[in-house]
């Protein structure tokens, strides 16, 4: 129809869809690059691989099917319709987005690879160290999912932490999958994972 309120609503919904698309891309880029950096740095440094090929497949299956798509269902952010229109020729991935992908990827890589090498230095077995590295990456991606709710605004508030129910359900679905990966004998046989005790889980967190 030609109702002005309908036009305003359509513009707002378009901005929600475009914004959520950018968040999904930002999330998937960062969570993919960190795995590459973990393997690349380990290879260049001559260390054992922190992730087996089948474990990389597991991470991608879990995060792609449960965590990544959740950002597409995010509600409209406050003040969305008051923002100035974006330039029509603006790139989907700005310099800020590239910087953020690099920053987050390096942080995740540092946590996972650092934990892996720390455990090896303590005499921990390779399978256990790899299991901890896999869990460290997935846990980091869970936290980053919450952080990606807003690109610029803080998420350390009630709306930021609970505003996207789909994201919370995605994390809730991912937790038992990760516990199964770590502790179920059949999963251990497939993915080369091992049981972790309470102290090792604390290190992962």
């Amino acid at each position: 129809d030609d109702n002005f309120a309908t036009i305003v609503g359509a513009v707002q919904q378009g901005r929600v869809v475009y914004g959520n698309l950018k968040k999904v891309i930002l999330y998937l880029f960062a969570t993919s690059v960190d795995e590459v950096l973990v393997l690349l740095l380990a290879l260049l440094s001559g260390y054992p691989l922190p992730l087996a090929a089948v474990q990389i497949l597991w991470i991608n299956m879990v995060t792609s099917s449960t965590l990544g798509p959740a950002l597409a269902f995010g509600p409209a952010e406050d003040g969305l319709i008051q923002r100035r229109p974006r330039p029509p020729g603006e790139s989907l991935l700005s310099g800020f987005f590239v910087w953020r992908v690099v920053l987050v990827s390096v942080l995740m890589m540092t946590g996972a690879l650092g934990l892996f090498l720390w455990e090896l230095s303590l005499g921990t077995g390779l399978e256990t160290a790899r299991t901890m590295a896999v869990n460290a990456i997935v846990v980091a991606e869970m936290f980053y999912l919450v952080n990606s709710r807003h690109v610029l605004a803080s998420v350390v508030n009630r709306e930021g932490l609970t505003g996207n129910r789909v994201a919370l359900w995605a994390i809730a679905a991912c937790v038992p999958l990760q516990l199964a990966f770590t502790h179920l004998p059949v999963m251990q046989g497939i993915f080369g994972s091992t049981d972790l005790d309470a102290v090792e889980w604390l290190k992962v967190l």
Side-chain angles (χ1 to χ4, degrees):
D1 56 41
D2 56 1
N3 187 322
F4 184 74
T6 304
I7 298 173
V8 174
V11 171
Q12 177 168 335
Q13 189 59 34
R15 290 186 175 189
V16 170
V17 171
Y18 184 80
N20 286 347
L21 176 63
K22 291 182 74 171
K23 292 174 186 176
V24 171
I25 293 174
L26 183 67
Y27 178 84
L28 292 177
F29 270 20
T31 54
S32 298
V33 172
D34 77 307
E35 298 167 32
V36 174
L37 290 178
V38 166
L39 295 173
L40 187 61
L41 194 58
L43 280 171
L44 294 176
S45 304
Y47 295 115
L49 288 180
L51 307 171
V54 70
Q55 292 172 340
I56 297 173
L57 179 62
W58 168 261
I59 294 173
N60 289 334
M61 284 195 312
V62 170
T63 57
S64 296
S65 61
T66 60
L67 299 181
L71 290 171
F73 299 95
E77 296 186 23
D78 292 338
L80 184 67
I81 200 65
Q82 281 78 38
R83 296 177 186 173
R84 294 179 60 83
R86 63 178 177 83
E90 181 184 72
S91 172
L92 186 64
L93 295 179
S94 63
F96 169 75
F97 268 57
V98 173
W99 171 84
R100 179 164 166 160
V101 165
V102 172
L103 174 66
V104 172
S105 300
V106 169
L107 287 174
M108 288 185 179
M109 177 273 295
T110 302
L113 184 58
L115 179 60
F116 174 76
L117 295 178
W118 181 28
E119 288 302 310
L120 289 184
S121 71
L122 296 176
T124 303
L126 180 60
E127 286 189 347
T128 300
R130 280 179 170 171
T131 303
M132 295 177 73
V134 170
N135 279 294
I137 289 174
V138 174
V139 169
E141 292 180 0
M142 290 181 191
F143 279 105
Y144 185 52
L145 178 68
V146 177
N147 188 59
S148 297
R149 280 268 294 112
H150 298 309
V151 176
L152 296 174
S154 172
V155 295
V156 188
N157 51 62
R158 183 176 180 181
E159 186 277 331
L161 296 174
T162 64
N164 187 343
R165 298 289 180 90
V166 178
L168 297 180
W169 280 110
I171 292 173
C174 193
V175 169
L177 287 174
Q178 231 18 64
L179 290 174
F181 166 86
T182 305
H183 296 292
L184 279 186
V186 63
M187 300 292 272
Q188 293 174 345
I190 295 172
F191 295 102
S193 55
T194 59
D195 291 313
L196 300 182
D197 59 30
V199 174
E200 288 166 339
W201 273 115
L202 187 61
K203 290 179 180 178
V204 166
L205 293 174

